[in-house]
Short mmCIF file of all heavy atoms in Angstrom, two decimals:
data_model
loop_
_atom_site.label_atom_id
_atom_site.label_comp_id
_atom_site.label_asym_id
_atom_site.label_seq_id
_atom_site.Cartn_x
_atom_site.Cartn_y
_atom_site.Cartn_z
N GLU B 979 -3.31 -4.04 18.31
CA GLU B 979 -4.79 -4.08 18.87
C GLU B 979 -4.98 -5.12 19.90
O GLU B 979 -5.55 -4.90 20.90
CB GLU B 979 -5.75 -4.37 17.70
CG GLU B 979 -7.07 -3.66 17.81
CD GLU B 979 -7.94 -3.87 16.51
OE1 GLU B 979 -7.46 -3.46 15.46
OE2 GLU B 979 -9.03 -4.52 16.69
N ASP B 980 -4.33 -6.33 19.66
CA ASP B 980 -4.64 -7.39 20.72
C ASP B 980 -4.02 -7.04 22.02
O ASP B 980 -4.46 -7.38 23.15
CB ASP B 980 -4.22 -8.73 20.19
CG ASP B 980 -3.00 -8.69 19.25
OD1 ASP B 980 -2.61 -7.66 18.89
OD2 ASP B 980 -2.55 -9.79 18.94
N VAL B 981 -2.72 -6.39 22.04
CA VAL B 981 -2.01 -6.09 23.30
C VAL B 981 -2.78 -5.04 23.94
O VAL B 981 -3.03 -5.08 25.20
CB VAL B 981 -0.69 -5.51 22.98
CG1 VAL B 981 0.12 -5.13 24.27
CG2 VAL B 981 0.23 -6.65 22.22
N ARG B 982 -3.32 -4.06 23.24
CA ARG B 982 -4.01 -2.97 23.72
C ARG B 982 -5.32 -3.44 24.39
O ARG B 982 -5.71 -3.10 25.59
CB ARG B 982 -4.49 -1.94 22.65
CG ARG B 982 -5.30 -0.72 23.35
CD ARG B 982 -5.39 0.43 22.33
NE ARG B 982 -5.82 -0.01 21.13
CZ ARG B 982 -5.32 0.29 19.80
NH1 ARG B 982 -4.27 0.99 19.86
NH2 ARG B 982 -5.86 -0.16 18.72
N GLU B 983 -5.91 -4.36 23.78
CA GLU B 983 -7.21 -5.05 24.34
C GLU B 983 -6.85 -5.53 25.72
O GLU B 983 -7.62 -5.35 26.77
CB GLU B 983 -7.67 -6.04 23.39
CG GLU B 983 -9.13 -6.47 23.63
CD GLU B 983 -9.51 -7.70 22.90
OE1 GLU B 983 -9.21 -7.81 21.63
OE2 GLU B 983 -10.15 -8.63 23.43
N LYS B 984 -5.84 -6.36 25.76
CA LYS B 984 -5.41 -7.06 27.09
C LYS B 984 -5.20 -5.97 28.22
O LYS B 984 -5.52 -6.09 29.40
CB LYS B 984 -4.26 -7.94 26.92
CG LYS B 984 -4.60 -9.30 26.38
CD LYS B 984 -3.49 -10.27 26.58
CE LYS B 984 -2.91 -10.79 25.26
NZ LYS B 984 -1.56 -11.39 25.27
N ILE B 985 -4.37 -4.90 27.72
CA ILE B 985 -4.03 -3.89 28.82
C ILE B 985 -5.25 -3.21 29.22
O ILE B 985 -5.40 -3.02 30.49
CB ILE B 985 -2.91 -2.94 28.17
CG1 ILE B 985 -1.58 -3.70 28.03
CG2 ILE B 985 -2.90 -1.73 29.10
CD1 ILE B 985 -0.51 -2.95 27.49
N LEU B 986 -6.20 -2.85 28.31
CA LEU B 986 -7.37 -2.07 28.74
C LEU B 986 -8.22 -2.94 29.66
O LEU B 986 -8.81 -2.34 30.65
CB LEU B 986 -8.18 -1.66 27.57
CG LEU B 986 -7.51 -0.56 26.67
CD1 LEU B 986 -8.42 -0.17 25.49
CD2 LEU B 986 -7.18 0.74 27.56
N LYS B 987 -8.15 -4.20 29.50
CA LYS B 987 -8.99 -5.12 30.36
C LYS B 987 -8.54 -4.99 31.79
O LYS B 987 -9.33 -5.16 32.80
CB LYS B 987 -8.76 -6.54 29.99
CG LYS B 987 -10.03 -7.08 29.14
CD LYS B 987 -10.06 -8.54 29.08
CE LYS B 987 -10.90 -9.00 27.94
NZ LYS B 987 -10.28 -10.05 27.16
N ASN B 988 -7.26 -4.69 32.06
CA ASN B 988 -6.68 -4.56 33.36
C ASN B 988 -6.68 -3.20 33.95
O ASN B 988 -6.11 -2.92 35.05
CB ASN B 988 -5.25 -5.08 33.27
CG ASN B 988 -5.16 -6.61 33.46
OD1 ASN B 988 -5.10 -7.15 34.54
ND2 ASN B 988 -5.33 -7.29 32.29
N LEU B 989 -7.24 -2.35 33.25
CA LEU B 989 -7.34 -0.97 33.83
C LEU B 989 -8.85 -0.63 34.18
O LEU B 989 -9.77 -1.18 33.45
CB LEU B 989 -6.93 0.15 32.79
CG LEU B 989 -5.47 0.13 32.21
CD1 LEU B 989 -5.24 1.25 31.25
CD2 LEU B 989 -4.41 0.17 33.46
N SER B 990 -9.04 0.10 35.18
CA SER B 990 -10.39 0.47 35.59
C SER B 990 -10.92 1.43 34.58
O SER B 990 -10.25 2.21 33.89
CB SER B 990 -10.45 1.02 36.97
OG SER B 990 -9.80 2.32 37.01
N ALA B 991 -12.29 1.64 34.65
CA ALA B 991 -12.93 2.60 33.75
C ALA B 991 -12.44 4.06 34.04
O ALA B 991 -12.14 4.82 33.17
CB ALA B 991 -14.52 2.56 33.96
N LYS B 992 -12.12 4.24 35.27
CA LYS B 992 -11.63 5.59 35.68
C LYS B 992 -10.18 5.79 35.07
O LYS B 992 -9.90 6.94 34.51
CB LYS B 992 -11.56 5.62 37.21
CG LYS B 992 -10.92 6.92 37.91
CD LYS B 992 -11.99 7.72 38.53
CE LYS B 992 -11.42 9.12 38.82
NZ LYS B 992 -11.66 10.04 37.75
N GLU B 993 -9.34 4.68 35.10
CA GLU B 993 -8.07 4.83 34.55
C GLU B 993 -8.08 5.08 33.05
O GLU B 993 -7.36 5.88 32.46
CB GLU B 993 -7.23 3.55 34.91
CG GLU B 993 -6.63 3.61 36.35
CD GLU B 993 -6.09 2.22 36.76
OE1 GLU B 993 -6.67 1.20 36.40
OE2 GLU B 993 -4.99 2.34 37.34
N ILE B 994 -8.96 4.29 32.38
CA ILE B 994 -9.06 4.46 30.88
C ILE B 994 -9.60 5.93 30.60
O ILE B 994 -9.09 6.53 29.74
CB ILE B 994 -10.02 3.40 30.25
CG1 ILE B 994 -9.54 2.00 30.49
CG2 ILE B 994 -10.20 3.66 28.85
CD1 ILE B 994 -10.42 0.93 30.04
#
Side-chain angles (χ1 to χ4, degrees):
Chain B
E979 214 173 298
D980 35 349
V981 178
R982 179 166 56 231
E983 195 190 318
K984 276 197 242 158
I985 288 180
L986 291 180
K987 257 196 202 138
N988 275 271
L989 298 180
S990 68
K992 176 109 191 88
E993 284 169 317
I994 298 178

